[in-house]
Amino acid sequence: MNGILNGIEFFHYPSADHPSYPLWGIRIDGTDLRTSVADATRGLWRAELEGEFEDDEREIEEHVRDQHGGLGVRDFEDRPGHFLTPADATPLLGCPCGIWGCWPLLARVTVTPTTVTWSSFRQPYREEWGELAMGPYAFPRDRYETALAEPVALDEDPLP
């Protein structure tokens, strides 16, 4: 860790398929976590999917961009500390199909009295990818807890 703390924002947005079903979204330093994952996995996907699509460039980019969705807010109502519980494999994003466990983004969550750190990002169904080239991200714990307790409610998914 470089000693510089990151900013975090948690938000809720409606699912495209079920607008009354809110999803958790996350921004780190103003960037949607889904965008950061797309950037970290683009080359891995290209190597894996080359030749699989008729219009490789466009379709691969869509696949990379849309590989994750937010976690269902209601799926975690019985686990209010989900994003604040230390663990080696905490789901931060899920599959866009709505079943978060079928394509989760996992990370190690480390909690101290003053910080919450996310590190060791990985996709459990692509062990050969190893740890993704993103993070670690360290957040001031007080701001993290406030953002988690008061997520911004959006009218639509902020990604196009």
Side-chain angles (χ1 to χ4, degrees), residues 7-121:
I8 190 159
E9 178 184 4
F10 290 97
F11 56 91
H12 292 168
Y13 64 96
S15 166
D17 296 331
H18 305 285
S20 63
Y21 187 74
L23 302 173
W24 280 101
I26 302 164
R27 288 188 187 114
I28 298 173
D29 297 332
T31 300
D32 194 297
L33 184 58
R34 295 171 293 173
T35 299
S36 298
V37 175
D39 291 344
T41 60
R42 186 169 282 107
L44 300 165
W45 277 119
R46 282 191 192 292
E48 189 172 314
L49 297 175
E50 199 68 42
E52 294 290 318
F53 298 111
E54 189 172 310
D55 180 4
D56 274 351
E57 187 61 33
R58 182 185 58 77
E59 292 183 73
I60 288 173
E61 187 56 34
E62 285 177 12
H63 182 81
V64 170
R65 184 193 64 225
D66 299 337
Q67 69 182 298
H68 286 293
L71 299 176
V73 171
R74 294 182 189 137
D75 292 343
F76 294 90
E77 286 177 332
D78 60 340
R79 295 186 269 176
H82 173 76
F83 292 108
L84 194 57
T85 302
D88 282 337
T90 298
L92 300 178
L93 294 173
C95 184
C97 77
I99 301 170
W100 67 265
C102 93
W103 190 254
L105 172 69
L106 302 179
R108 176 178 295 126
V109 174
T110 306
V111 180
T112 73
T114 58
T115 61
V116 176
T117 302
W118 290 356
S119 62
S120 300
F121 293 86

